[in-house]
Amino acid sequence: MTTPFAKVTHVILDLDGTLINTEQLVDEVVSAVLHKRGDFTASRVRKAMEHVRGMRPGDGTRAVMDLLEITDVSVDALLAETSALLDARWGEVSMMPGARRLLDHLHVHGVKTALATSTPAAFLAKKMLSHDGWVERLSVVATGDEVENGKPNPDIFLLAAERLGVDPRTCVVLEDTPLGVKAAKAAGAFAIAIPSIHDDFAAYEDAGADQTIRSLYDLDLSLWGLPPFRDRVDVAVRVAPSNTKADGNDVRVSDNKAFVVESVLPLSPAVRLGGPVVRGFGRGSKTLGVPTANLDVAPIKKESDALAPGIYFGWAGLRGNDANDDGNDSRNDGEARKIENVIIAPMVMSIGWNPFFDNATKTVEPWLLRDFGKDGDFYGRELRLAVLGYVRPEADFASLEALVERIHRDADVARGALAMERFEGGKEDPYLKFCT
Ligand code: ADP
Ligand code: RBF
Ligand code: MG
């Protein structure tokens, strides 16, 4: 039993980057406008954008112009230009992974919620047009235009708590930006950071975050005295006896076999994504001894953004090499079957930035859990994935051995989960067999 950090009664939610996935769109649109205003390097513009993340649109525009020393246009004119471009594209914005689950859960349990957004009310209406009314289910809303000072000042969170009718010290704030965390702490609330700036976690600690988690999937409400999620599923994972002490898990021994219990989060609905296998960094098999069949992220951006960075399990369908495919599965390993020329196999996958290697681009890379022997060249072949559950966040590790050991444990979790009735049937998905 873990001791709660604090006992709170109310939840205050930031919008952009916390509940809805606006940050990439805003970065794309605003950066393009900024680049037209001067000969800036991409990294300078990116740094400036990260510096203002969480601010109100007007404050952010002014601050970015100061940082980049843009003087040939007014703040209002630049804001009008970016707003018009963004208004035409808000419909592309989907919810952050886990946001719908959180809102439904809080609603079902009658936990009072506030939205505290830097967005002014007029922008908010346009932003939320394509979102089917979930904002109305929040108890109260506070918008950026209603307060004197924007984040990092505490005003918006003080207003949200006031509208909830409670002391801010009984509230926990969910925020994706360092400035928002600062504002929440200045208001006297607790703050959970869910970073949208993936390469600078220290900024969130400096801002005073009480806890930093990698995505909403990892939110543990019981730590805050709030009704806990009950949708995770326990998986009995068979482990090598040497692996049982890995992280203090409950070890069960039966028939001389050691099991640990891990829990996974089922995804409903399953996320389907696929494409031709492309070349990655070439270190999966070489550095880790774990080959991962990388997919090109660009064409499946929407599907991959529906998943928080992290480790997942599910089923894979790999289209055969027609030339050397005789249609028989002589290996008969009990897990993988060949249907016409598609191989269905269990898989465990990583999606994200791989902190251990500090990648700058997101990768989607499944390890198919069977031995392909001489047929193990997938490059260019079509691969389809049905992602059924979430295992854990991406992590950094002290050593390569620790990373590799963890990946093997993930594979054990995936095998354990996929053997369970509720996940086993996923291999019959027509999508995997290229029937849809
Ligand atoms: P890359 O960096 O190009 O992805 P890796 O070292 O990660 O290279 O190896 C991945 C490649 O290994 C896959 O694209 C595929 O061709 C091959 N491979 C062989 N067996 C497997 C497997 N079980 N799972 C995934 N890829 C495999
Ligand atoms: N990389 C990390 O930096 N952190 C991780 O927690 C991590 N977990 C992984 C889990 C699985 C199941 C797999 C297949 C890979 C994982 N890796 C992780 C990704 C690894 O870094 C990646 O395969 C390399 O980037 C190889 O190109
Ligand atoms: Mg790979």
Side-chain angles (χ1 to χ4, degrees):
M1 201 53 208
T2 11
T3 336
F5 293 149
K7 180 139 182 59
V8 304
T9 49
H10 292 69
V11 179
I12 304 181
L13 301 149
D14 167 58
L15 179 66
D16 294 82
T18 300
L19 294 180
I20 59 173
N21 194 351
T22 45
E23 303 304 85
Q24 295 174 48
L25 177 65
V26 172
D27 283 2
E28 181 195 322
V29 166
V30 178
S31 310
V33 168
L34 291 171
H35 277 296
K36 287 194 298 184
R37 294 282 162 187
D39 190 16
F40 312 116
T41 62
S43 93
R44 187 158 169 225
V45 168
R46 188 174 59 85
K47 282 282 161 227
M49 295 286 297
E50 283 183 357
H51 190 79
V52 307
R53 204 157 278 180
M55 283 186 193
R56 293 183 293 193
D59 298 344
T61 303
R62 180 172 301 107
V64 157
M65 289 173 68
D66 282 350
L67 285 166
L68 298 177
E69 299 172 47
I70 296 173
T71 51
D72 61 340
V73 59
S74 73
V75 173
D76 286 347
L78 202 69
L79 181 59
E81 187 178 348
T82 52
S83 302
L85 293 167
L86 286 166
D87 282 349
R89 295 186 58 186
W90 289 130
E92 295 171 24
V93 168
S94 50
M95 291 187 82
M96 290 298 286
R100 170 67 75 173
R101 166 181 179 248
L102 171 64
L103 293 173
D104 286 348
H105 176 83
L106 295 174
H107 186 72
V108 164
H109 290 272
V111 176
K112 294 267 186 298
T113 50
L115 189 70
T117 175
S118 296
T119 303
F123 288 34
L124 182 64
K126 291 182 198 156
K127 233 181 225 184
M128 302 312 294
L129 275 179
S130 59
H131 290 261
D132 57 332
W134 57 259
V135 174
E136 285 72 57
R137 274 172 47 184
L138 300 164
S139 314
V140 302
V141 176
T143 52
D145 53 322
E146 296 184 288
V147 292
E148 178 146 359
N149 308 296
K151 299 173 190 175
N153 295 290
D155 307 27
I156 192 87
F157 293 116
L158 294 173
L159 178 64
E162 188 189 314
R163 290 202 173 143
L164 286 169
V166 297
D167 187 319
R169 286 171 295 188
T170 66
C171 299
V172 66
V173 171
L174 298 185
E175 258 290 350
D176 71 304
T177 67
L179 292 181
V181 168
K182 243 181 220 162
K185 292 313 293 173
F190 293 95
I192 302 175
I194 309 156
S196 54
I197 306 172
H198 70 83
D199 59 356
D200 191 10
F201 275 33
Y204 296 85
E205 250 171 60
D206 295 346
D210 294 288
Q211 191 193 12
T212 302
I213 55 176
R214 294 222 179 219
S215 80
L216 288 174
Y217 292 153
D218 292 322
L219 182 60
D220 182 352
L221 292 170
S222 70
L223 293 175
W224 302 92
L226 293 165
F229 289 111
R230 300 229 179 267
D231 51 357
R232 293 188 76 104
V233 171
D234 281 346
V235 180
V237 181
R238 215 179 134 185
V239 286
S242 63
N243 216 350
T244 52
K245 46 190 174 341
D247 40 23
N249 283 51
D250 190 15
V251 181
R252 294 179 193 169
V253 180
S254 69
D255 296 338
N256 276 333
K257 290 172 194 144
F259 293 90
V260 292
V261 178
E262 298 244 14
S263 77
V264 297
L265 177 63
L267 296 175
S268 49
V271 176
R272 298 183 176 85
L273 67 178
V277 174
V278 298
R279 283 186 192 275
F281 301 96
R283 58 181 184 226
S285 20
K286 284 203 196 79
T287 317
L288 299 171
V290 175
T292 56
N294 296 42
L295 292 178
D296 185 358
V297 191
I300 50 169
K301 197 173 155 356
K302 205 166 174 66
E303 294 83 352
S304 64
D305 280 351
L307 300 168
I311 313 309
Y312 296 83
F313 67 86
W315 294 98
L318 177 68
R319 204 179 233 165
N321 248 342
D322 292 318
N324 52 25
D325 184 1
D326 61 7
N328 295 316
D329 187 5
S330 51
R331 280 170 295 273
N332 193 17
D333 58 8
E335 300 183 293
R337 299 169 305 137
K338 207 174 250 183
I339 298 154
E340 290 171 34
N341 67 346
V342 178
I343 296 167
I344 305 288
M347 63 90 184
V348 62
M349 68 184 264
S350 156
I351 172 164
W353 286 272
N354 307 315
F356 187 80
F357 296 103
D358 205 11
N359 292 352
T361 51
K362 195 170 178 177
T363 63
V364 172
E365 32 185 331
W367 175 24
L368 275 51
L369 300 175
R370 67 169 278 179
D371 184 5
F372 285 87
K374 66 169 175 54
D375 295 331
D377 180 354
F378 307 169
Y379 294 115
R381 286 160 73 176
E382 287 289 328
L383 177 64
R384 288 187 169 186
L385 308 172
V387 188
L388 303 186
Y390 168 76
V391 179
R392 65 168 176 94
E394 291 188 289
D396 201 354
F397 292 88
S399 67
L400 194 63
E401 293 69 51
L403 170 62
V404 172
E405 189 181 327
R406 188 55 190 253
I407 294 175
H408 283 277
R409 167 80 156 254
D410 294 331
D412 290 336
V413 174
R415 285 188 195 94
L418 293 168
M420 291 168 70
E421 207 180 329
R422 73 177 287 166
F423 299 118
E424 214 230 334
K427 69 182 173 202
E428 303 303 336
D429 189 337
Y431 172 77
L432 295 176
K433 301 174 188 169
F434 294 81
C435 297
T436 55

